[in-house]
Amino acid sequence: MRPETLAAAALHGIDPTTGAVIPPLHLATTYARLEDYSLRGPCYGRADNPTLVHAERVVAELEGGVAALSFASGMAAATACVRALVRPGAHVIGPRVGYFNFRGWLERFCRKWNLALDVVDMTDLTAVRAAMRPETALVWAETPANPTWEVADIAGLAAITQGTGAKLVIDSTCATPVHTRPLSLG
């Protein structure tokens, strides 16, 4: 299906309160409380805001995933992902070319958390394979890479990481996962 069809299908349903066939935008940041101070509806935040839930459902459908999370920025998403996937003493393989601020953050984070970091040309599968270690927890690739537009072989990277225990993360900001389809490539 085309992306616009996937997006429309992800929002299919009728709003039980209004009967609208398109979900409403909920701009509230504060929600009513019951007498015992428990929440009557969703909590302030990003996790269960109805508007964000709809947006995340559309993104998941467009990218071929089962769920999605929204963040305030790409850096917030990237740092949350790295922090969730690695533990002190692990090994990380990062991209030689990619968003400069992320690369700097990754280098500082790895030093602070006692993580070994190898920066590798992600277009060279032989180099990526050679950098893998038993303690490799994360392989991060950006494709197309910012600012050079180098393209990494996502399926090839997935073949290298599968069965190793390492997680492969594809940052596809420039082309979006709608077009690069990293989940369907492994």
Side-chain angles (χ1 to χ4, degrees):
M1 282 191 272
R2 296 176 59 177
E4 54 271 26
T5 305
L6 290 171
L11 293 176
H12 181 69
I14 297 174
D15 180 63
T17 304
T18 66
V21 294
I22 297 173
L25 296 178
H26 296 275
L27 303 178
T29 57
T30 303
Y31 296 91
R33 302 255 175 189
L34 301 174
E35 193 172 305
D36 67 356
Y37 204 63
S38 64
L39 283 165
R40 178 178 156 206
C43 176
Y44 168 75
R46 309 305 179 254
D48 59 354
N49 178 297
T51 299
L52 293 178
V53 170
H54 294 306
E56 290 168 346
R57 187 178 305 136
V58 170
V59 168
E61 188 65 34
L62 288 172
E63 295 180 4
V66 296
L69 293 174
S70 58
F71 288 85
S73 69
M75 278 299 293
T79 58
C81 189
V82 172
R83 289 173 182 262
L85 295 174
V86 298
R87 298 291 175 258
H91 174 243
V92 174
I93 298 175
R96 178 183 57 83
V97 176
Y99 181 58
F100 185 75
N101 285 334
F102 174 73
R103 164 94 174 269
W105 176 87
L106 185 61
E107 290 170 348
R108 290 187 304 277
F109 179 76
C110 286
R111 275 194 306 273
K112 182 177 179 179
W113 285 89
N114 191 31
L115 299 167
L117 173 64
D118 282 321
V119 176
V120 176
D121 178 353
M122 291 296 164
T123 66
D124 183 348
L125 296 178
T126 302
V128 174
R129 191 175 292 106
M132 292 291 292
R133 306 179 190 173
E135 63 272 14
T136 302
L138 175 64
V139 176
W140 187 284
E142 182 176 322
T143 187
N146 176 7
T148 63
W149 303 108
E150 292 176 4
V151 175
D153 178 350
I154 298 171
L157 292 170
I160 291 169
T161 58
Q162 286 172 349
T164 67
K167 300 294 184 193
L168 173 62
V169 174
I170 302 297
D171 177 345
S172 191
T173 303
C174 294
T176 84
V178 173
H179 298 292
T180 58
R181 310 301 294 169
L183 294 175
S184 65
L185 294 171

